[in-house]
Amino acid sequence: MMRSFRLIRVAVLGLSLAWTAPTFAQNFEGLDLSGQSKKKKRATPKKKKPTRKSRADKATPAPVQDDDDDAAASSSEAPTSVSPAEAASTPAPTPASPPANTGSMGMGLDLTQEAPKPAAPTMSFDAVDVSGKTADRQRLEVAVSLFKNDEYEKASMAAHELLEDPKLAGLHTEARYVLAKSLYRMGMYHSSLGEFSKILSLGPSTKFFKTSLEWLFFISRKTKNETVILDEIARHANQEFPEKYRNEFRYLLARYHFVRGRALDQVGQPEEADKSFSEVKRLALTIPRADPFFPRAKYLEGLSSFRNGSRQKDAAAKRANGEMLAAIEAMKEVVRLTRPVAGKPADQAKLDKSLRELAFMQLARTHYGMQQNRFALFYLGKVERGNTQWLEALFESSWANYRVGQYEQALGNLITLSSPFFREEYFPEALILKAVIYYENCRYRESNIILQDFERTYLPVHDQLESLVKKNMEASEYYSVLSDVQKKNKDGLEKNETDVILERILRLALTDQDLRKTNDSILELEAEMDAFANRADTFKYSELSKSLLEGLKLQRTALISKAGIMAKGKLETELVALKQLLANGLRIKFETTTKEKEFLEEQLKAGGRTAIVKKYKYSVAVQDDQLYWPYEGEYWRDELGTYQYTMTKGCIERDTANRNVQSAEAM
């Protein structure tokens, strides 16, 4: 049998154990633990480090720091009110500062100044100075006046009327510029992007080309996913961007090439992907180290080096090793640059914390791939308890612990992963790892039971996944499957066990950063389409609304096609992985049955006096601020991540079944 235990602290919780693993934060993202408020009078289980850190917020990488629209523009918004003659001698304009919006993250820009709103506009043409201007120019001035008086719906409809008149082609660019800005101020960012894209498509000689480029950055800060403007940024990569946006542009362009490189790898074009990843590394080098976008660009550089090293592993070992070392150094630089610093803005601190966590994960994976398991454990231990990557770090550390013979710690981690708190998570490999550990300790009967449980649970899931992938549906249909899962979750429909696990796999697809962001864009775009219903009737039933809705539908179709391709690729990847796990399970089952047979034969020959499985030496002694407490099947929130098994018997000769992890700093 195996005995599990918990160690209970009886001293001050703030005392630190002399152990090298990091402390964990308290919270779990997405867990409603209101029902777990029962007060415990007894001590708590053994924790590798009893000190507690403050509650950690969930941190997700934000694409760019928010700027207050065009508040950073160097000049006021004059071009839409000048005459053609004046325009010839007037430099290209920059957009005016929109009102302060929620979510501003203040990337070093002064967001404290806000232009006072003008008085409420009148609806007569008397409010507009039209002296010396043509009737056509007067119509444009009316649209400009409405915009300046914050009547964005009326301004957008007035500008659209000009665009619908082919006789006014000379004013179309200015009218579209007013329309695009009005839509932005109305919070219709995807519609605004469509209009600015039309201006940019006219080329750099266009009057509002440069300022429209700047508006791309403002839109990227308002949308959930900055990648919606990556294609547009890349399309104009050869243009000279304003200096204040130059490093942001380089980062976004590096992000574009990274996403493109990964997509090319997935479709079997590694040579073309090499070019994209090389461009990522080149662009990262062009961003100054002190710039806020440097850590994110450095992270992309590290991922590119890791990819190159993994690909060249078999072909050129020396070169591959160099790429891996470059990846490690890049991630270490990210960790150094994202250290918590007093006085840093809250949004920037949150972004840095998320990026730092991702860098720790990548450092661990790189060392694990290089068979440096204790280094991997060191970095996985840096991921704080309850953070976004914590469960993944806990699972990956189980494999690293297994490699170095720390079976109790590996099995203890698996207890946490199988707890009711994480019922919706998908870790099928955990059962395989558990069976392997039992097998290596000659616990053949237990190993077989675990493998039977694995087959019973995941074989139907494999069959459903295989059926889904073999349908060869259109890309949009694969996304529809993913969308249906989200709707079922929202409606709370009942599902059988296989459907629940299949749902976990589909949700797992959303852990892919690019697919998740694309999915967010689709949901955001659909919300923008639904928002038309809340507009005034004059706008809701206008020709402009019809035109905008058609444009949004086209954007949605393109995004769904892109997301469908990603979803299909992710499902195929999971199918291959599950197929491999099932095959591994069968091999382990065969080996287990063979070993069990040999064991029984030896016992028969020896008249039942041979015992392969022997009792292990173990002790319940703990440190002074802890107590040994048996695990009895209950789960408490503050115990998750602290469990250890006690291996009481097996066939491996050792004094103790567990050895402490040395700090990577001491190695």
Side-chain angles (χ1 to χ4, degrees), residues 131-399:
S131 57
K133 297 179 181 178
T134 65
D136 296 338
R137 172 61 61 174
Q138 292 174 21
R139 291 174 62 186
L140 180 60
E141 291 296 340
V142 170
V144 172
S145 178
L146 291 170
F147 175 83
K148 289 183 176 180
N149 289 317
D150 299 344
E151 297 195 62
Y152 302 125
E153 288 187 2
K154 294 178 180 178
S156 62
M157 289 188 290
H160 183 258
E161 287 181 5
L162 292 170
L163 290 170
E164 291 297 293
D165 190 343
K167 297 179 182 179
L168 303 180
L171 299 176
H172 280 187
T173 302
E174 291 180 71
R176 193 175 301 282
Y177 189 65
V178 174
L179 172 60
K181 292 188 300 179
S182 299
L183 294 172
Y184 178 93
R185 296 293 182 85
M186 293 163 64
M188 304 175 66
Y189 303 122
H190 291 273
S191 297
S192 177
L193 174 61
E195 298 304 319
F196 279 118
S197 296
K198 292 176 183 177
I199 296 174
L200 292 171
S201 66
L202 299 176
S205 61
T206 307
K207 181 178 178 181
F208 298 104
F209 182 83
K210 288 187 177 180
T211 49
S212 295
L213 280 178
E214 293 184 22
W215 279 89
L216 294 181
F217 296 106
F218 307 145
I219 292 173
S220 74
R221 298 167 190 178
K222 297 298 183 184
T223 57
K224 293 181 179 179
N225 176 15
E226 88 274 15
T227 58
V228 296
I229 61 107
L230 291 184
D231 289 340
E232 198 69 43
I233 290 284
R235 195 172 293 121
H236 306 288
N238 294 327
Q239 301 302 321
E240 186 69 17
F241 278 73
E243 185 175 355
K244 66 173 64 178
Y245 303 113
R246 203 162 291 163
N247 293 325
E248 183 176 354
F249 158 72
R250 289 164 178 164
Y251 162 71
L252 289 174
L253 191 57
R255 181 99 172 82
Y256 165 82
H257 283 291
F258 181 79
V259 174
R260 180 177 181 271
R262 290 214 315 176
L264 288 169
D265 271 340
Q266 290 176 356
V267 297
Q269 298 183 34
E271 290 77 14
E272 286 298 313
D274 287 343
K275 298 177 183 177
S276 285
F277 287 115
S278 295
E279 191 65 10
V280 171
K281 299 172 77 171
R282 185 191 70 80
L283 288 165
L285 293 174
T286 63
I287 301 177
R289 189 177 187 275
D291 191 86
F293 289 95
F294 178 79
R296 280 177 276 176
K298 196 69 176 176
Y299 178 73
L300 293 179
E301 178 189 338
L303 290 180
S304 299
S305 295
F306 178 79
R307 175 265 177 192
N308 293 341
S310 300
R311 182 170 176 265
Q312 298 166 359
K313 190 173 183 180
D314 297 329
K318 187 175 181 179
R319 185 176 177 184
N321 189 57
E323 290 283 1
M324 287 296 188
L325 292 177
I328 290 173
E329 289 306 314
M331 293 303 167
K332 285 184 177 179
E333 180 73 353
V334 173
V335 169
R336 286 190 287 267
L337 292 169
T338 54
R339 287 192 180 110
V341 177
K344 186 177 293 186
D347 290 327
Q348 182 63 40
K350 184 178 180 180
L351 176 63
D352 285 351
K353 184 176 182 179
S354 174
L355 188 61
R356 183 179 175 85
E357 181 179 280
L358 292 171
F360 280 136
M361 290 294 293
Q362 190 57 40
L363 278 167
R365 287 164 179 164
T366 305
H367 283 294
Y368 185 86
M370 299 173 71
Q371 304 294 318
Q372 297 173 345
N373 302 301
R374 294 189 182 276
F375 282 96
L377 285 169
F378 173 76
Y379 287 115
L380 288 168
K382 291 292 185 180
V383 178
E384 291 187 4
R385 180 177 184 268
N387 279 6
T388 308
Q389 299 290 327
W390 180 58
L391 286 182
E392 193 68 33
L394 207 61
F395 171 68
E396 293 185 19
S397 67
S398 298
W399 277 106

Side-chain angles (χ1 to χ4, degrees), residues 17 46 202 373 535:
L17 294 177
K46 176 180 179 181
L202 299 176
N373 302 301
R535 297 289 177 183

Side-chain angles (χ1 to χ4, degrees), residues 25-40:
Q26 293 283 338
N27 66 311
F28 303 88
E29 185 61 32
L31 292 183
D32 181 7
L33 303 176
S34 57
Q36 296 288 343
S37 59
K38 179 180 177 182
K39 300 292 184 180
K40 292 193 293 181

